[in-house]
Amino acid sequence: MILSAVLVLFVAALLALLRPDLPRAELIRKYSDVSSRFVLLSDGSTAHLEILGVAGKPTVVLLHGAMSSVQSWAAWMPSLAAGHRIVAIDLPGHGLTGATGARDYSRAGMVTFVHSVLKSLGEKHVAVVGHSMGGGVAAEYAERYPDEVWALVLIDSAGIHIAGRPDTEAAKLARNRVFRAVLPWVMPKWEVARALRKMYGDPSKVTDVLLDRICEIERFPGNRAGLISHYLAPTDDAVLEDGLSALKLPVLIEWGGLDTVQPRAAAEVFQRRIPGAQLVIYPGVGHDVIEEAAVASERDAEDFLERAWGS
């Protein structure tokens, strides 16, 4: 009798933790808007984008970080779109893009994906702005397609190897064999909240709205498996770092002064390796500069892009 009761409690607790994928249509209804486009690519992938601004203006591509989406640029896009054509892309295994036909969630695979998206739109001359994981994709994109990029903005960017740097919370879970098996089914909101608060300079800015958005979109079909695959993919930081000195374009680096995910040492390597790169540090701000310091970071990026286009 006692054993049966314990078993019932165990099953109930397990069921309470289960977070299966949410219906694709439900999430698209909630998180897409009039700016959304769904582009079918040759490998069978359907890429979700948000396109704002007027055709004919300089094009700026926005690439989000891990466990994020185009939603993270919401505070940037209205102002930036006044003088630019904005293409914000949900990367493979993220946002409303989800699983891709190629099932390649490495940085190199994401670069190929972004190029396919831009090629489908007829975009051949763009500025690329990337945050965190998206920054690494942006930097590698500029290295691989130098004739197609007129400016680059790297924000708390991945891509630099720092010896002894600890893994992020998400990377630790993805690389743990036990957690890796359950992550596609379980994602406690309290754990996401704990990890996010460690990433912010001001933890009070991690609101319930932000948490709900991240937790719900992460349950889009294919996203959790894609995130795990991204963290398990071989890193090409050494190759990316070696190619930085060959970049011949205007580059702005934005960094949170309290970033514990991508330390300031990484920003300094980017600045040292890229000829003429500018570095802006935001005191008191953590890793998520584009949301925690949205107004200042957008203004600095917009001013930089206007100067870069006019140069």
Side-chain angles (χ1 to χ4, degrees):
M1 196 67 181
I2 294 176
L3 183 60
S4 297
V6 170
L7 183 59
V8 168
L9 288 173
F10 174 78
V11 172
L14 183 61
L15 289 174
L17 288 174
L18 285 179
R19 295 292 185 273
D21 286 345
L22 292 170
R24 179 187 180 92
E26 175 185 319
L27 291 173
I28 288 176
R29 230 178 359 256
K30 183 170 183 177
Y31 289 104
S32 63
D33 55 31
V34 294
S35 302
S36 289
R37 293 266 299 275
F38 290 87
V39 177
L40 181 63
L41 303 178
S42 59
D43 70 350
S45 305
T46 300
H48 172 248
L49 334 170
E50 287 206 359
I51 300 180
L52 293 83
V54 181
K57 296 286 187 180
T59 298
V60 177
V61 178
L62 302 179
L63 304 177
H64 60 78
M67 280 191 73
S68 193
S69 67
V70 298
Q71 301 287 328
S72 63
W73 300 103
W76 273 50
M77 289 195 283
S79 179
L80 199 56
H84 304 87
R85 174 173 163 84
I86 305 302
V87 180
I89 302 175
D90 274 336
L91 292 167
H94 290 79
L96 303 181
T97 290
T100 61
R103 297 294 196 274
D104 186 350
Y105 304 103
S106 65
R107 181 187 298 149
M110 290 184 178
V111 170
T112 299
F113 177 87
V114 171
H115 193 254
S116 296
V117 169
L118 295 179
K119 185 177 178 181
S120 75
L121 298 176
E123 297 285 358
K124 299 178 181 178
H125 194 48
V126 302
V128 189
V129 181
H131 172 241
S132 192
M133 175 189 77
V137 176
E140 188 164 321
Y141 192 96
E143 290 182 359
R144 197 189 302 181
Y145 305 105
D147 295 335
E148 299 180 22
V149 182
W150 58 267
L152 178 65
V153 180
L154 303 175
I155 308 169
D156 297 274
S157 177
I160 301 297
H161 174 71
I162 302 293
R165 175 174 53 188
D167 280 338
T168 63
E169 298 292 325
K172 287 178 184 176
L173 293 176
R175 290 171 184 153
N176 181 289
R177 188 176 302 174
V178 175
F179 284 112
R180 188 161 69 240
V182 300
L183 273 178
W185 303 100
V186 175
M187 179 176 280
K189 185 177 177 180
W190 56 264
E191 174 61 22
V192 176
R194 186 183 70 83
L196 273 177
R197 290 190 180 105
K198 289 175 65 176
M199 293 168 58
Y200 271 62
D202 179 0
S204 70
K205 291 186 177 180
V206 179
T207 64
D208 287 340
V209 172
L210 174 62
L211 281 170
D212 287 344
R213 183 193 85 205
I214 289 174
C215 289
E216 288 181 2
I217 295 180
E218 199 57 28
R219 293 170 66 187
F220 190 84
N223 280 356
R224 283 176 284 187
L227 184 69
I228 292 169
S229 295
H230 171 72
Y231 282 121
L232 294 180
T235 178
D236 57 356
D237 285 353
V239 175
L240 187 149
E241 192 173 333
D242 285 346
L244 294 175
S245 60
L247 292 177
K248 308 297 181 187
L249 76 169
V251 178
L252 173 65
I253 303 162
E254 297 187 340
W255 223 267
L258 299 180
D259 190 345
T260 57
V261 177
Q262 300 292 346
R264 182 167 175 166
E268 292 167 352
V269 173
F270 274 121
Q271 184 185 31
R272 189 165 60 249
R273 288 294 188 100
I274 302 173
Q278 305 169 41
L279 173 61
V280 178
I281 301 291
Y282 299 93
V285 178
H287 180 66
D288 196 359
V289 163
I290 63 174
E291 297 195 77
E292 190 175 2
V295 174
S297 59
E298 188 283 328
R299 182 189 61 232
D300 290 340
E302 187 174 348
D303 290 346
F304 164 77
L305 291 168
E306 287 177 0
R307 292 194 305 272
W309 181 255
S311 64

